[in-house]
Amino acid sequence: MSDDAVLFRAVDRASFAVAFSERLRTAGISVDLTATELFTEALTVQPADNQRRLYWLGRVTLVRRRQDLDRYDAVFAAVFADTVVAVDPQSRRRPLDSAPDRGTSHGIPPSAMVRDGAGLPWITMPTAATGRAEDANTGLAVPERLPSALTGLRDTPFDALDPVQLAEVGAWLESAREHWPTRRTRRFATRSRGTMIDLRATMARSRSTGWEPTELVRTGPVHKPRRLVMLCDVSQSMQAFITPYLHLMRAATISAGAEVFAFGTTLTRLTAVLAHRDVAVAVDQASTLVADRFGGTRIATNVAGLLKSRYGALVRGAVVIIASDGWDSDDPEQLARTMARLSRRAHRVIWMNPRVAAPGYQPLTGALVAALPYCDALLPGNTLDALAEVVNSTR
C-alpha cells in the first residue's frame, strides 16, 4: 500500500468490512453485526484516504473494550504490513487489565497473523477461499461461508451420530427454551399491547393530568411454563436412541423443569441426576442409575406405577411424552386401560417412536394399537428435525 490516496479505489467496502470484522473475531475481539454495519457506513460517510483515518474509523466502530486495543493494532498491522502503535501513543500509558499470551503476538493465534492483508478483499468481486492448495497463490479472497456442523446433522439418524455430534444435539435442545409448552394463568399483568384496560391503574395515572385518562394502561394474561413429564424406554430395541433421548430429557429438565423417567421392567426417576450442570456427568449418572436397561419392556406396568406413585399428581394438566418403539410384554388391554387413565389426567399425550420414520411403517404391534387411541400425536423422533417437531408439538 504505497499510495494511500487510492487506498479504496475499486474496492467493495462492504466485503472489506465483513472480512476485516471476521479477522478481528479470529483474533479474539467481539465484533457483532451492528459494529460491522457502522464500520461500513463510516467508510461511506468519511472516505478513508489514508491508513491513519482508516485505523480510527475501525477503532471507534469495531472495538468496544480497552483490553482489545492491542489485538486490534496487531490485526491492523498484519493487514497493512505496517505498525500502527505510533498512531495512538497515549493509549498505552497504563497496562491492560489482562496480559496477552506470551506465546503469540498480542495474544493472537499465529493463524490470524497473516501478512500482506491475506484474506481481505481488495478487489470488487472477491472469490471464495475453499482451503485447497491451489487457492494459496490466488492472493486475496473472502473466506467461504459453510453451514454449521449442527445444520448438517438435522436429518441424520441418531444411530449414525458419534458422541461429539450427540453432544451438539443436546446443546441445541437446551437452547430451545422458547419452544417448550406454556399455559395461561388466571393472573394479569401490565402489557404494552394488552387486549384489556386496567381501570384502576389508568385512573391512578390520570391524577397528574387533572383526572383525564390521557394514557390507557393495558393488561394481558400471564403465561407460565406447562409441566412436562417424559418417560423413555431403555430396552434393548431402543439402545441406539437412548443417548439422544437422555439429552432431550436433560434439556427438558433444565429448560422446562420437567419430570423425567426411564423404564424397562421397572420405573426409574432421572430428574435429579439429569439436572447436573455437566452434560457428560449427567448422562453417565443417568446410565448408571438405570439398572434394567437393555432388557425387557413393561409399558403398562410402569405407566400405571407412575400414576399410583407420589409423582402421579404431576401428570395432571401436563404434557406427557412417551418415547418407545411399542414392544411391550404386558397385556395390550392393560395398556389400553392405563393409557385411558393417563389421557384423562394429562393435558396432552405424545408418543415418540423412532421406527415411525421407516418407509411403509404401520403401527401394528399390540401395544401401539391399544395406546394410539388415547394419544394426541405419534411422532418419529429419530433425527434432530424430528425432535424439533416433538418439542413444537408440546405447545
Side-chain angles (χ1 to χ4, degrees):
M1 301 302 298
S2 59
D3 189 0
D4 293 339
V6 292
L7 187 62
F8 277 100
R9 178 173 296 176
V11 171
D12 188 338
R13 290 175 172 81
S15 299
F16 172 80
V18 171
F20 189 58
S21 301
E22 182 64 25
R23 175 69 67 82
L24 295 177
R25 294 190 195 101
T26 305
I29 302 176
S30 177
V31 181
D32 53 19
L33 295 179
T34 302
T36 305
E37 182 182 2
L38 290 176
F39 183 46
T40 306
E41 294 179 356
L43 292 175
T44 304
V45 175
Q46 181 64 51
D49 53 1
N50 55 68
Q51 290 187 19
R52 180 186 179 89
R53 181 167 295 175
L54 178 62
Y55 168 84
W56 283 106
L57 287 177
R59 174 166 163 174
V60 300
T61 57
L62 300 176
V63 182
R64 304 291 177 84
R65 302 181 305 176
R66 185 175 182 274
Q67 55 265 34
D68 292 335
L69 292 178
D70 265 350
R71 299 181 178 182
Y72 174 79
D73 287 351
V75 173
F76 193 90
V79 171
F80 293 95
D82 193 8
T83 181
V84 294
V85 176
V87 175
D88 185 19
Q90 306 297 328
S91 63
R92 307 296 186 277
R93 288 190 172 182
R94 291 181 299 173
L96 296 180
D97 297 335
S98 58
D101 188 3
R102 297 299 181 184
T104 59
S105 177
H106 298 282
I108 303 175
S111 59
M113 299 296 295
V114 182
R115 297 295 175 182
D116 299 331
L120 293 180
W122 296 106
I123 57 177
T124 303
M125 295 298 293
T127 57
T130 60
R132 296 189 298 268
E134 55 269 20
D135 292 336
N137 299 323
T138 57
L140 311 168
V142 176
E144 184 179 12
R145 295 291 179 246
L146 298 177
S148 64
L150 190 62
T151 303
L153 303 178
R154 298 191 65 89
D155 55 353
T156 304
F158 288 139
D159 51 1
L161 301 181
D162 56 33
V164 176
Q165 294 171 331
L166 289 176
E168 294 177 356
V169 172
W172 176 85
L173 290 171
E174 293 179 21
S175 64
R177 298 176 181 267
E178 67 276 7
H179 299 291
W180 294 110
T182 59
R183 65 180 180 88
R184 175 176 173 174
T185 65
R186 296 182 179 180
R187 301 184 62 181
F188 286 80
T190 302
R191 297 284 187 269
S192 59
R193 298 182 179 180
T195 58
M196 301 180 61
I197 299 176
D198 189 343
L199 295 179
R200 179 176 297 180
T202 300
M203 294 304 298
R205 187 168 297 184
S206 66
R207 292 177 180 177
S208 59
T209 58
W211 299 104
E212 290 290 338
T214 59
E215 182 179 356
L216 300 179
V217 180
R218 299 185 179 274
T219 61
V222 176
H223 289 78
K224 294 179 60 177
R226 181 176 291 277
R227 186 179 296 113
L228 189 66
V229 179
M230 184 173 180
L231 298 91
C232 180
D233 186 352
V234 293
S235 62
Q236 180 67 34
S237 58
M238 291 285 292
Q239 182 175 357
F241 303 94
I242 292 177
T243 300
Y245 287 173
L246 285 177
H247 283 287
L248 175 63
M249 291 192 292
R250 181 177 185 275
T253 302
I254 295 177
S255 303
E259 285 288 335
V260 293
F261 301 86
F263 68 89
T265 56
T266 59
L267 188 68
T268 306
R269 182 173 179 263
L270 302 178
T271 306
V273 295
L274 287 180
H276 196 280
R277 66 178 66 183
D278 188 277
V279 180
V281 174
V283 174
D284 290 342
Q285 289 182 353
S287 301
T288 304
L289 187 62
V290 180
D292 58 339
R293 58 176 179 169
F294 308 152
T297 311
R298 302 184 65 184
I299 303 177
T301 301
N302 289 303
V303 175
L306 173 63
L307 296 177
K308 294 178 182 178
S309 68
R310 59 175 181 170
Y311 303 106
L314 299 177
V315 178
R316 191 174 305 278
V319 176
V320 180
I321 301 177
I322 301 177
S324 175
D325 56 2
W327 293 100
D328 190 12
S329 58
D330 286 335
D331 185 8
E333 295 183 358
Q334 180 185 359
L335 180 60
R337 293 192 298 269
T338 304
M339 292 298 297
R341 292 178 53 199
L342 179 65
S343 64
R344 290 194 297 267
R345 189 175 300 186
H347 170 73
R348 185 173 174 84
V349 179
I350 300 173
W351 194 292
M352 186 168 59
N353 186 350
R355 314 296 179 186
V356 173
Y361 173 85
Q362 293 183 358
L364 300 179
T365 60
L368 284 179
V369 172
L372 285 183
Y374 306 100
C375 296
D376 296 283
L378 175 64
L379 301 174
N382 65 321
T383 63
L384 183 58
D385 281 338
L387 280 189
E389 183 180 358
V390 172
V391 174
N392 291 331
S393 67
T394 60
R395 293 182 294 180

